[in-house]
Amino acid sequence: MMPLRVDILSLSIGGEVAQPFEQDVIAIGAFHAFKKGILTVQSAGNRGNTRSAVSSVAPWVLSVGATSTDRHIMDQVLLRNHQTLVGFSINRFETSKHMLPLVYGKGRTFTCSEEEAMSCYPGCLNSPIVKGKIVVCDDFNGKAEAFSAGAFGVLTPIRREVSMVTDQPWTGLDFQNFQTLILYLNSTRFPQAKFLKSKEIRNTSAPLVAPYSSRGPNIIAPSILKPDIVAPGAEILAAYPSQHSSPFYINSGTSMSCPHVSGASAYVKALYTNWSPAALKSALMTTATAMSPSENPEAEFAYGSGLLNPVKATNPGLIYDASEEDYLLFLCQSGYKKDLMVLISGNISYICQKEEEGSSIDVNYPAMQAMVAAEKPYNVTFKRLVTNVGVAGTTTTYTVKVATTKSMEVKVDLLLVLLMDMEFSSVKKLYIYGSIYPLSCLSFPCFQTPISYIILQEMPHTSLLQFYGCAVCNQVPVGIFCSSCCYWLWA
């Protein structure tokens, strides 16, 4: 039997927070996979709209965030006062023509406190009282106790606003809908409700970065933009049944978006079998569909290079390739010592040279990001080597187009041209200088010291340079957030 060949590793797993590379077992394993020509695709994480929440941060890993799709499954509960609650579940069950009583609070128990009864604490619900009725629980975990006591259906708050298949009538409500429910319960002596079957509607706002998809910036490697790319990850039909009666399951998260990118990677690899993992990654990133920063306020920190476009990835024009030596040099320039580099890479022969010039921003990455002083003029140079992978034997012209503002200037210098086996290679040097001015505010937690980011995304397929800056000032936090502390500069 011929040994199996592995080209792509799809990892819908990850840690809660980003770890230094030497402590990140996935980053270490992915480096060894990279050395063997295997691309690792990993979920970016599901910690939501929190600054620097992305947990997949290694430059040799393709990190994937999640977006909504144009299909949304709506779940509804009808109250006796004709109000409709909109919830999050995929409910195949519908109450009979008649509404059922709603039960909530102290009256459902003989042994527990009112708080425990309202939360549906284990062992608290009295079966004769709740059997065949719809039980309201203050705690998401209370639904198990309610169904165990014989409830027909359950209404609870939801932890994360994503719909999932339910094997019994249950709907999770967001804060606003749950408060509407509580107000109704307190307004009538005989509250009643009815479950309606979930229905599919068209989501015209898609694609948007999902609220649970982890955001950057990258706190481990500030010169590397993460996540790299986004793909559909909301209400995805999964290839396994639910635990009980449903023959299918629908799930949401970056664990769902990751396989989309893994499949696209395999598709491109099948067409270009000699491409390296870095070449595959570059092709996917530079051909991604641009997303709107006005609809996704965290912009590249949320969606990276944009929305996956598998068809365009087969013809990227130019790619940013990288080798093991490139990433070893990146580790050197990031301050890693030999013992840690060996731990990460397994390479015992590579030695960092003191005379090596450059910085970690010079790694041949398909995105360009640098951390600079907040609200001060800056001048940053990026060096990149691009390789033409267009149709062999044809003449291709690539034109750089720069969109900018009065406060920033970008200069692209072509330093070197090499002709090798009908492929075009060049080094591009980009000069960026100017000042960052506050334009709009974001609700991101502030760092302890003033920092700022500038990011460039070069997309050879569209011959477009996109860039912006984010300045974070050192202000006194208001709660967990700073007041008017984060500013974006768009070009």
Side-chain angles (χ1 to χ4, degrees):
M1 180 182 293
M2 293 289 292
L4 293 177
R5 172 179 169 175
V6 176
D7 292 306
I8 311 294
L9 286 177
S10 184
L11 300 183
S12 288
I13 56 175
E16 282 294 312
V17 296
Q19 298 287 339
F21 300 140
E22 72 276 10
Q23 299 175 22
D24 186 341
V25 293
I26 292 178
I28 294 172
F31 197 104
H32 288 256
F34 180 91
K35 291 165 59 175
K36 296 182 180 295
I38 301 169
L39 174 63
T40 300
V41 185
Q42 184 187 11
S43 301
N46 298 319
R47 289 185 59 212
N49 189 6
T50 301
R51 187 179 180 88
S52 297
V54 60
S55 59
S56 174
V57 294
W60 48 86
V61 174
L62 181 51
S63 308
V64 185
T67 68
S68 59
T69 68
D70 60 1
R71 181 193 68 218
H72 176 62
I73 299 175
M74 176 178 285
D75 195 26
Q76 294 177 303
V77 176
L78 182 63
L79 303 179
R80 189 181 180 184
N81 66 354
H82 304 295
Q83 283 185 291
T84 299
L85 304 177
V86 178
F88 294 87
S89 70
I90 299 165
N91 183 21
R92 300 174 293 114
F93 307 93
E94 185 168 7
T95 317
S96 62
K97 293 182 180 180
H98 302 290
M99 291 193 172
L100 295 177
L102 285 167
V103 290
Y104 177 63
K106 178 68 176 175
R108 301 174 299 179
T109 183
F110 299 131
T111 57
C112 297
S113 68
E114 183 172 9
E115 182 179 350
E116 290 172 330
M118 292 168 69
S119 297
C120 302
Y121 193 78
C124 283
L125 299 186
N126 187 272
S127 183
I129 298 176
V130 303
K131 187 174 182 179
K133 301 175 182 177
I134 299 174
V135 177
V136 178
C137 301
D138 284 346
D139 190 335
F140 172 83
N141 293 321
K143 64 178 182 176
E145 169 65 14
F147 283 124
S148 178
F152 171 83
V154 184
L155 299 174
T156 73
I158 197 168
R159 296 171 177 173
R160 197 158 55 106
E161 295 178 7
V162 294
S163 296
M164 54 190 124
V165 175
T166 175
D167 295 309
Q168 294 168 292
W170 163 79
T171 293
L173 303 173
D174 62 17
F175 177 81
Q176 182 177 350
N177 278 272
F178 194 76
Q179 291 305 306
T180 300
L181 173 62
I182 299 302
L183 290 173
Y184 168 68
L185 290 170
N186 293 332
S187 68
T188 179
R189 294 181 60 189
F190 302 105
Q192 292 182 327
K194 178 181 180 179
F195 283 96
L196 303 179
K197 282 186 179 180
S198 299
K199 60 181 180 180
E200 179 182 311
I201 62 174
R202 182 169 178 80
N203 182 11
T204 57
S205 65
L208 298 175
V209 178
Y212 48 80
S213 185
S214 291
R215 271 67 164 171
N218 186 340
I219 60 173
I220 302 300
S223 61
I224 301 297
L225 177 65
K226 291 289 179 172
D228 291 306
I229 200 169
V230 289
E235 298 175 0
I236 304 300
L237 180 63
Y240 64 94
S242 64
Q243 295 179 352
H244 302 290
S245 59
S246 176
F248 64 92
Y249 200 77
I250 288 178
N251 215 335
S252 299
T254 56
S255 289
M256 298 294 105
S257 58
C258 176
H260 282 83
V261 177
S262 300
S265 303
Y267 170 56
V268 177
K269 179 70 173 180
L271 298 175
Y272 305 103
T273 56
N274 63 331
W275 279 15
S276 70
L280 291 174
K281 180 176 179 177
S282 175
L284 292 165
M285 289 177 63
T286 61
T287 58
T289 302
M291 298 187 69
S292 170
S294 62
E295 295 178 348
N296 300 276
E298 303 82 29
E300 269 84 347
F301 289 151
Y303 51 69
S305 54
L307 180 65
L308 174 71
N309 190 327
V311 175
K312 284 189 176 181
T314 63
N315 182 26
L318 301 174
I319 59 169
Y320 298 80
D321 208 351
S323 64
E324 177 189 356
E325 288 71 23
D326 290 314
Y327 289 131
L328 289 171
L329 178 58
F330 165 80
L331 291 173
C332 286
Q333 294 170 340
S334 299
Y336 280 81
K337 304 302 181 184
K338 183 174 178 60
D339 55 340
L340 293 182
M341 291 184 62
V342 172
L343 178 62
I344 296 167
S345 68
N347 190 317
I348 61 175
S349 60
Y350 188 88
I351 299 176
C352 295
Q353 302 295 326
K354 292 183 179 180
E355 65 271 14
E356 286 175 334
E357 297 180 353
S359 69
S360 59
I361 67 172
D362 291 333
V363 65
N364 210 41
Y365 209 70
M368 303 168 210
Q369 173 176 296
M371 188 167 66
V372 298
E375 298 184 341
K376 294 181 179 179
Y378 53 85
N379 188 328
V380 181
T381 300
F382 296 91
K383 299 176 183 178
R384 293 295 187 267
L385 176 69
V386 290
T387 304
N388 178 27
V389 291
V391 179
T394 62
T395 300
T396 306
T397 301
Y398 295 97
T399 303
V400 176
K401 296 180 180 179
V402 178
T404 185
T405 65
K406 294 180 179 179
S407 59
M408 293 183 73
E409 182 175 342
V410 175
K411 183 179 180 182
V412 181
D413 283 352
L414 183 65
L415 298 185
L416 180 64
V417 175
L418 301 174
L419 292 177
M420 300 179 297
D421 299 326
M422 299 304 294
E423 291 190 344
F424 171 86
S425 298
S426 66
V427 178
K428 285 188 174 180
K429 191 174 184 180
L430 290 85
Y431 297 97
I432 310 157
Y433 53 92
S435 298
I436 294 179
Y437 297 99
L439 297 183
S440 61
C441 186
L442 293 177
S443 295
F444 268 151
C446 275
F447 286 154
Q448 295 299 312
T449 56
I451 65 166
S452 176
Y453 280 89
I454 56 169
I455 297 177
L456 280 92
Q457 288 278 32
E458 186 168 5
M459 303 180 183
H461 188 83
T462 57
S463 299
L464 174 66
L465 280 172
Q466 297 179 321
F467 55 93
Y468 62 86
C470 176
V472 185
C473 62
N474 190 19
Q475 294 189 3
V476 178
V478 179
I480 61 171
F481 296 109
C482 289
S483 174
S484 302
C485 73
C486 196
Y487 302 98
W488 293 78
L489 179 65
W490 261 98

